[in-house]
């Protein structure tokens, strides 16, 4: 029952946050200098032409009315139409989602298959030798210190010169040509994975190190349990909450669009689309894109809490003391 | 200086790297080593070596002074932004952690709202509203780094404010400025310093990413991100235009991260035990 | 015949932040099977380090400089990892200070007992093990997570885990320090009766001299990383030979005749960074002379008592 009320409060709080986010997004999109009319009609448009365009897209209403209209229709799943293409915003995003989803999938799979084991391994080894700890720290720092645009640029350079069977740019949908799709997605996914894997490994390493100093680990060692058994039975679950948190956060951010990677490799994903829309003052697209990214993030946050509730039996009793 | 002796080789290397980077940049900029960064003095896209130590760019500008200016811009923008973040996050974090109540609720909500935006998208929105440039870059760094730092400071402030010496100071009638300056800040300074170093590395990355997408520092001013962005067009013919500032950027961020890790380990030592 | 536990001149250093602290400065101790030994000392005396060293459980920052720990003649520090694990699993049991903290917070108690029984029992044996430590509702406890238990219950579970393998030696490091005073006696009762049942030798590390003397057959007093006095419990308490032990006895409330004064020990226990040149207690010792500060005291055996003091022979029969 206590858990139920906690979740109710949690959900309400998420709704309030989302409401505030929507106001912020709307305000930001209207605060941008140079309106849609100028962008479409160019600098030499007459005031009459501008007024006509504004009326067509409802931009002549007061800002509060515009916001209210947007919010209420958005709640029904209608995010309006792109003022550039004239297509519904949902259709436009639907076209770009597969790219983003594929990148996200690659990134998260790499994080789970490489990042988590790497973090566990470097943490467990850190306790063994002196000096080994510093090397682990260096490795975990290196991955998160290499920006995507530097690594990506270098990869683009290397593979443009020595193709090695992989293509740079020239996205092909998976449905049309699975092989070609993989060839064009492998490099961006790899560059993206470096950062995602490093962040995951770093967080995992940190979480495991925090568990390794707990008295129950000493007690398990003192009972003669083997290192493998200690890691599997005692360390992993106790270190899992920060790891799950970083995984869900990374997933949320990737679904919001890996802007730089998409830009570098010329992929038609959600991220580049939002950035282009900002440049074109395509309000409906900007608002829908950022709002959906925020929704994904907030939902992921709640999933994290749900996972924490399953993973840590103290969660329910801690919730009552947890002031938010 | 006891901190220096206690630090391991990695933490020291991080600090030394950073100091060298700052020193070289300051000396290079002050003495104008390599000439005027904006003057078109040489052949276009000349490779490194000879007269132009790091080569020239597409307009025939020498890269060495442009690199000095770039490092200077990037470090200055990020540092100023992180200082702003540190001050704001401390005030907000203490307000939320020590005073709590409705003020705390408002602060936490604000933080959560900011947290919900994907970082680069947030930066681009800011750039679109403020207009691309240095102001947009700094605002973006502040908005991106403030949520995490506020949360951490708040958590630390909650712990500190439950300690006996704070309680006794409150009971003996100390006013809030005194409690803040005498009790809270000294005990939060370590946390703030560690978070500050991490925020600095994030700041440098944000500057780079934003300039790379064309929303950051505008030409002719150079920054590490702007240099990489301009160079990326000529990646196939003049790779050094990207590789040199790229390496400097990586070294700077790595040095800061490694130093931050060392600082944190020094403040809260964890002695992991061998499982064997 | 080899003694069950033999610690020879053990020297252990901790490296902490570029500086070295000597935790054990030539500690020596021999324990025969079936003894109940109370190791008494202030925090920083090295008793916890001694306890950890027996199972090869020293943290990464610690280094065995010299000396040896032998269990049944096996040198603990030269065992291979698998042998060391076998030693911990089959011959040693540990109970630590933090009762709830030493149980895995994400695993049900029953499962943890089952894990400790691996190879020695099945799921069906879990409840009997919990009953043996006199837990009132073993079925409920087995279903619980550690945070749902009280400190006393958690410590009983920890004892059940440590005693699951019927160890030859049980090392209890301040097992009651974190518990309420009313349940300390009960928990100690569980430890001593279980050990007696399975013929386990007890090494109880504590700072409480009278409590230890009440239950143990032998008392070992540690100071500055060395064992300074060792002898049968009653005698050590009644007639301490080492000035530090004597000071400890005088500092204990309730052990005095009416009208006598409770005397605190002046000064602070030492923090060594290398071998102490003289007697580590000399700066605080009321009877110290120049020799005490200059040379390390030798081990003197007087009247079935081992004492590490220059003045030990002079004080025989002095009725301290």
């Amino acid at each position: 029952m206590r858990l139920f009320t906690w979740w109710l409060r949690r959900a309400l709080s998420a709704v309030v946050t989302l409401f505030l986010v929507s106001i912020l997004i709307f305000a930001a999109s209207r605060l941008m200098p140079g309106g849609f009319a100028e962008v479409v009609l160019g600098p030499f448009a007459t005031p009459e032409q501008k007024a006509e365009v504004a009326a067509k897209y409802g931009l002549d209403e007061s800002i509060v009315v515009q916001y209210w209209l947007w919010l209420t229709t958005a709640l029904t799943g209608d995010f309006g139409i792109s003022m550039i293409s004239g297509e519904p915003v949902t259709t436009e995003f639907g076209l770009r989602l597969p790219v983003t989803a594929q990148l996200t999938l690659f990134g998260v799979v790499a994080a789970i298959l490489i990042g988590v084991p790497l973090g566990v391994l470097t943490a467990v080894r850190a306790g063994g030798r002196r000096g080994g700890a510093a090397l682990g720290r260096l490795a975990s720092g290196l991955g998160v210190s290499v920006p995507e645009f530097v690594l990506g640029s270098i990869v683009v350079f290397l593979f443009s010169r020595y193709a090695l069977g992989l293509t740079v740019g020239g996205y092909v949908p998976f449905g049309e040509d699975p092989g070609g799709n993989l060839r064009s997605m492998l490099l961006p996914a790899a560059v993206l994975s470096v950062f995602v894997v490093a962040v995951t490994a770093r967080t995992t390493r940190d979480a495991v190190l925090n568990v390794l100093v707990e008295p129950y680990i000493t007690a398990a060692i003192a009972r003669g349990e083997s290192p493998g058994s200690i890691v599997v039975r005692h360390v992993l679950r106790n270190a899992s909450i920060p790891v799950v948190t970083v995984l869900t956060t990374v997933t949320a951010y990737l679904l919001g669009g890996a802007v730089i990677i998409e830009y570098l490799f010329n992929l038609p994903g959600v991220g580049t689309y939002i950035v282009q829309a900002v440049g074109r003052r395509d309000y409906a697209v900007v608002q829908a894109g950022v709002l959906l990214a925020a929704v994904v993030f907030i939902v992921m946050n709640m999933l994290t809490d749900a996972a924490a509730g399953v993973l840590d039996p103290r969660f329910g009793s801690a919730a009552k003391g947890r002031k938010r | 200086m006891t901190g220096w002796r206690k630090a391991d080789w990695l933490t020291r290397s991080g600090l030394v790297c950073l100091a060298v980077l700052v020193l070289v940049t300051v000396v290079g900029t002050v003495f104008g080593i390599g000439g005027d960064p904006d003057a078109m003095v040489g052949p276009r896209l000349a490779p490194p070596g000879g007269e132009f130590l790091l080569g020239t760019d597409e307009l025939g500008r020498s890269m060495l002074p442009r690199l000095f200016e770039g490092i200077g811009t990037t470090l200055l923008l990020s540092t100023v932004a992180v200082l702003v973040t540190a001050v704001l996050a401390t005030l907000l974090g203490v307000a939320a952690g020590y005073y709590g109540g409705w003020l705390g609720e408002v602060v936490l909500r604000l933080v959560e709202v900011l947290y919900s935006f994907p970082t680069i998208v947030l930066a681009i929105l800011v750039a679109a509203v403020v207009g691309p440039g240095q102001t947009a870059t700094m605002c973006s760094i502040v908005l991106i780094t403030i949520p995490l730092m506020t949360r951490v400071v708040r958590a630390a402030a909650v712990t500190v404010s439950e300690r006996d010496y704070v309680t006794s100071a409150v009971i003996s009638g100390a006013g809030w400025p005194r409690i803040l300056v005498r009790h809270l800040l000294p005990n939060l300074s370590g946390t703030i310093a560690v978070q500050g170093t991490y925020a600095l590395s994030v700041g440098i990355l944000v500057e780079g990413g934003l300039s790379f997408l064309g929303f950051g520092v505008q030409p002719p001013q150079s920054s590490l991100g702007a240099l990489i962005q301009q160079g990326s067009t000529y990646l196939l013919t003049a790779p050094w235009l990207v590789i040199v500032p790229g390496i400097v950027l990586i070294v700077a961020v790595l040095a800061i991260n490694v130093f931050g890790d060392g600082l944190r380990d020094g403040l809260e030592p964890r002695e992991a035990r061998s499982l064997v | 015949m080899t003694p069950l536990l033999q610690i020879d001149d053990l020297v252990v250093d901790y490296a902490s932040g570029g500086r070295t602290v000597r935790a054990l400065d030539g500690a020596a101790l021999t324990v025969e099977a079936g003894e109940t030994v109370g190791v008494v000392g202030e925090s920083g005396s090295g008793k916890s380090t001694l306890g950890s060293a027996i199972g090869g459980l020293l943290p990464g920052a610690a280094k065995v400089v010299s000396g040896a720990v032998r269990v049944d003649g096996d040198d603990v520090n030269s065992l291979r990892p698998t042998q060391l694990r076998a030693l911990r699993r089959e011959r040693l049991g540990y109970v630590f200070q933090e009762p709830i903290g030493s149980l895995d917070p994400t695993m049900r108690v029953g499962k943890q007992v089952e894990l400790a029984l691996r190879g020695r029992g099945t799921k069906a044996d879990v409840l009997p093990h919990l009953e043996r430590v006199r837990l009132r509702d073993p079925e409920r406890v087995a279903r619980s997570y550690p945070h749902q238990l009280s400190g006393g219950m958690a410590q009983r579970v920890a004892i059940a885990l440590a005693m699951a393998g019927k160890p030859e030696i049980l090392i209890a490091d301040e097992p009651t320090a974190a518990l309420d005073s009313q349940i300390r006696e009960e928990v100690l009762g569980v430890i001593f009766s279980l050990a007696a049942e399975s013929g386990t030798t007890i090494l109880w590390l504590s700072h409480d001299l009278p409590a230890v003397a009440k239950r143990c057959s032998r008392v070992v007093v540690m100071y500055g990383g060395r064992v300074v006095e060792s002898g049968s419990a009653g005698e050590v308490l009644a007639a301490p030979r080492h000035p530090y032990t004597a000071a400890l006895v005088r500092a204990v409330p309730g052990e005095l005749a009416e009208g006598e004064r409770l005397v605190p020990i002046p000064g602070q226990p030492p923090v060594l960074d290398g071998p102490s040149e003289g007697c580590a207690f000399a700066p605080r010792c009321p009877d110290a002379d120049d020799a005490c500060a200059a040379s390390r005291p030798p081990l003197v055996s007087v009247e079935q008592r081992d004492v590490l003091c220059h003045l030990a022979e002079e004080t025989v029969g002095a009725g301290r």
Side-chain angles (χ1 to χ4, degrees):
Chain A
M1 191 60 211
R2 195 170 60 204
L3 214 56
F4 176 76
T5 46
W6 189 86
W7 275 106
L8 199 65
R9 282 189 49 154
R10 183 76 184 76
L12 276 177
S13 155
V15 169
V16 173
T17 302
L18 205 54
F19 179 66
L20 293 172
V21 167
S22 75
I23 292 180
L24 210 61
I25 291 170
F26 195 83
S29 74
R30 293 309 140 95
L31 280 172
M32 294 175 199
F36 171 68
E38 278 91 344
V39 174
V40 174
L41 299 171
F44 305 111
T46 62
E48 288 77 33
Q49 284 174 310
K50 285 188 193 173
E52 194 188 324
V53 170
K56 184 177 168 196
Y57 292 102
L59 299 174
D60 54 350
E61 299 276 0
S62 85
I63 190 122
V64 179
V65 172
Q66 285 186 39
Y67 170 74
W68 186 247
L69 273 173
W70 171 62
L71 188 69
T72 44
T73 47
L75 285 177
T76 66
D78 177 7
F79 289 92
I81 53 168
S82 160
M83 296 188 276
I84 299 292
S85 68
E87 295 287 325
V89 170
T90 39
T91 314
E92 293 282 350
F93 275 108
L95 286 173
R96 285 151 180 100
L97 198 61
V99 178
T100 299
Q102 203 181 351
L103 276 181
T104 306
L105 185 72
F106 278 134
V108 173
V109 168
I112 294 171
L113 292 187
I114 306 171
V116 174
L118 204 64
V120 173
L121 211 69
T122 53
V124 170
R125 289 185 73 100
R129 275 174 322 194
R130 302 195 63 65
L135 282 180
R137 251 174 64 204
L138 182 64
S140 90
L142 191 63
V144 293
S145 304
V146 180
E148 299 165 326
F149 53 90
V150 175
L151 186 65
S153 296
I154 292 168
V155 166
V156 167
F157 164 64
L158 288 178
F159 283 86
S160 300
R161 186 162 275 187
Y162 319 99
L164 303 177
L166 296 163
T167 43
V168 173
Y171 168 76
V172 188
F174 189 79
E176 284 175 23
D177 174 9
N181 168 277
L182 287 182
R183 272 202 297 282
S184 65
M185 290 299 268
L186 206 62
L187 285 181
V191 174
L192 180 98
S193 298
V194 169
F195 181 76
V196 173
V197 164
V199 170
T200 310
R202 203 172 145 87
T203 309
T204 307
R205 179 183 140 79
D206 213 53
V208 170
L209 281 177
N210 278 337
V211 170
L212 288 181
V213 298
E214 292 285 342
Y216 55 83
I217 298 299
T218 311
I221 300 171
R223 282 194 299 271
E225 285 188 41
S226 68
S229 161
I230 292 174
V231 169
V232 171
R233 289 172 199 278
H234 303 297
V235 175
L236 288 185
R237 188 164 170 188
N238 282 292
S240 60
I241 291 175
V243 179
V244 169
T245 307
V246 79
L247 285 175
T248 52
T249 308
V250 161
T251 309
Y253 278 139
L254 288 182
L255 281 175
V259 179
I260 289 172
I261 299 281
E262 290 172 13
Y263 177 88
L264 253 170
F265 289 90
N266 218 349
L267 298 175
V270 168
T272 16
Y273 188 50
I274 297 176
V275 175
Q276 281 170 0
V278 170
R280 297 168 181 161
R281 302 292 184 266
D282 198 346
Y283 295 136
V285 173
V286 176
Q287 288 162 196
V290 184
L291 188 70
L292 288 177
V295 169
V296 167
F297 186 86
I298 289 168
V299 168
M300 281 295 175
N301 253 339
M302 291 185 67
L303 280 181
T304 310
D305 280 349
V310 174
L311 290 167
D312 190 345
R314 291 166 294 186
F315 189 76
S317 56
K320 73 172 186 285
R322 193 154 143 183
K323 291 182 201 127
R324 291 194 54 106
Chain B
M1 274 296 100
T2 52
W4 178 258
R5 263 190 281 126
K6 275 165 78 175
D8 63 354
W9 61 268
L10 192 58
T11 312
R12 293 182 190 178
S13 322
L15 196 60
V16 168
C17 266
L18 214 56
V20 168
L21 201 63
V22 171
L23 198 71
V24 167
T25 306
V26 167
V27 169
T29 311
V30 169
F31 293 99
I33 294 173
D36 182 351
D38 295 333
M40 297 166 215
V41 286
R44 295 177 183 185
L45 303 176
E51 191 189 342
F52 303 104
L53 196 61
L54 296 179
T56 61
D57 68 2
E58 74 278 12
L59 298 174
R61 293 176 294 194
S62 173
M63 281 303 288
L64 186 65
R66 289 189 66 70
L67 187 66
F68 287 143
E69 188 187 299
I71 301 171
T73 310
T74 297
L75 287 185
L76 204 64
L77 282 180
S78 323
T79 310
V80 171
V82 167
L83 286 178
V84 173
T85 297
V87 171
L88 290 178
T90 305
L91 291 176
L92 292 174
V94 168
Y98 179 66
Y99 297 100
W102 66 268
L103 192 61
E105 289 288 326
V106 169
V107 168
L108 284 178
R109 181 70 60 190
L110 200 75
V111 162
E112 199 165 323
V113 166
L114 278 182
Y115 224 35
S116 314
F117 287 86
T119 45
I120 277 293
V121 173
L122 179 63
I124 287 163
L125 275 183
V126 171
V129 172
V130 184
Q134 302 199 9
T135 321
T137 309
M138 286 202 286
C139 289
S140 302
I141 296 175
V142 171
L143 289 179
I144 287 171
T145 52
I146 214 169
L148 183 62
M149 198 155 167
T150 307
R151 280 191 180 177
V152 176
V153 171
R154 174 191 165 268
V158 168
T159 321
V160 172
S161 60
E162 280 163 1
R163 300 232 178 100
D164 290 346
Y165 52 80
V166 175
T167 314
S168 65
V170 173
I171 291 168
S172 62
W176 70 265
R178 189 183 160 82
I179 289 173
L180 179 68
V181 174
R182 291 288 293 276
H183 299 293
L184 295 178
L185 285 187
N187 286 293
L188 295 176
S189 55
T191 308
I192 296 169
V194 171
Q195 287 303 313
T197 55
Y198 290 148
L200 194 59
S201 76
V202 170
I204 292 176
L205 291 176
V206 169
E207 189 283 320
L210 208 53
S211 296
F212 184 76
L213 293 172
F215 293 93
V217 167
Q218 298 296 304
Q221 170 145 34
S222 83
S223 75
L224 287 176
L227 287 176
I228 294 168
Q229 192 256 332
Q230 288 153 23
S232 64
T233 320
Y234 306 95
L235 199 59
L236 294 181
T237 43
W240 59 89
L241 292 182
V242 169
I243 290 172
V244 174
I247 288 173
V248 171
L249 185 65
I250 292 171
V251 167
V253 176
L254 181 61
I256 293 170
N257 274 334
V258 155
F259 174 67
D261 288 349
L263 202 61
R264 186 200 52 191
D265 289 351
L267 287 170
E268 36 183 287
R270 286 177 301 194
E271 190 56 61
R273 197 180 286 269
S274 166
L275 290 183
V276 181
Chain C
M1 200 192 114
T2 39
L4 178 59
L5 172 67
Q6 188 172 8
I7 299 173
D8 293 327
D9 281 326
L10 193 62
V11 177
V12 173
D13 282 351
Y14 282 91
S16 78
R19 120 197 159 96
T20 304
V21 173
R22 178 147 292 190
L24 289 181
D25 186 25
L29 179 65
T30 303
V31 178
E32 301 293 343
E35 275 192 286
T36 49
V37 179
V39 179
V40 180
E42 293 165 273
S43 40
S45 62
K47 60 181 192 300
S48 283
T49 306
L50 189 80
S52 302
I54 297 169
L57 286 171
L58 293 170
K63 189 169 160 265
V64 176
V65 179
S66 61
V69 178
R70 286 176 219 284
V71 178
D72 277 336
D74 294 335
D75 183 353
V76 172
N77 293 313
S78 58
L79 290 178
R80 287 201 308 274
T82 46
Q83 295 172 316
L84 189 57
R85 283 202 288 279
L87 169 80
R88 291 167 183 160
R89 199 167 52 238
E90 282 150 25
R91 289 190 272 170
L92 301 180
Y94 274 90
V95 176
F96 298 101
Q97 182 171 345
E98 195 53 56
I100 294 170
S102 19
L103 302 176
D104 185 339
T106 57
M107 199 185 277
R108 287 184 202 276
V109 166
K111 177 90 185 145
Q112 300 194 41
V113 177
E114 206 185 315
L115 201 57
L117 282 172
R118 218 160 21 131
R120 294 184 280 250
T122 58
K123 212 168 185 160
D125 299 311
V126 169
L127 289 186
H129 272 89
L130 291 175
E131 276 161 19
R132 280 174 64 204
V133 289
R134 295 180 216 150
L135 277 160
R136 239 156 261 134
D137 191 350
E139 272 150 53
R140 195 178 63 82
V141 172
R143 278 197 312 272
S144 303
Y145 285 102
H147 74 275
Q148 295 164 325
L149 304 180
S150 70
M153 288 157 89
Q155 197 62 302
R156 285 162 201 257
V157 173
I159 294 165
L161 295 179
M163 294 297 292
K166 292 200 180 0
E168 291 166 29
I169 308 175
L170 179 74
I171 296 140
D173 189 352
E174 302 263 18
T176 57
L179 302 179
D180 290 341
S181 53
Q182 312 93 285
I183 49 178
R184 282 184 189 166
E185 285 303 312
E186 291 173 34
V187 168
L188 287 172
V190 169
I191 293 178
F192 276 83
S193 63
L194 269 189
E197 263 175 50
S198 45
T200 300
T201 302
I202 293 182
L203 206 65
W204 174 15
L205 316 179
S206 171
H207 60 269
D208 189 344
L209 178 57
V212 161
K214 209 161 90 189
R215 287 193 185 264
C216 292
S217 59
R218 183 146 76 93
V219 169
V220 169
V221 181
M222 288 192 71
Y223 188 84
R226 304 185 79 182
V227 171
V228 295
E229 178 159 5
S230 165
S232 84
E235 286 174 35
V236 169
L237 200 63
R241 291 287 182 230
H242 193 281
Y244 174 64
T245 318
L248 269 188
V249 172
R250 279 198 304 272
V252 170
E255 289 294 323
L256 303 164
E258 199 125 344
E260 254 184 299
R261 263 178 183 278
L262 199 61
V263 187
I265 310 173
Q268 291 292 318
V271 177
L272 302 174
D273 48 10
S276 73
E277 283 177 23
C279 171
F281 188 60
R284 298 169 79 184
C285 181
D287 306 324
D289 55 26
D290 295 346
C292 293
S295 66
R296 285 167 74 96
L299 188 70
V300 182
S301 291
V302 279
E303 299 173 4
Q304 295 164 7
R305 194 94 62 89
D306 295 332
V307 186
L308 206 64
C309 178
H310 287 295
L311 311 169
E313 271 149 336
E314 297 170 29
T315 56
V316 170
R320 267 177 190 280

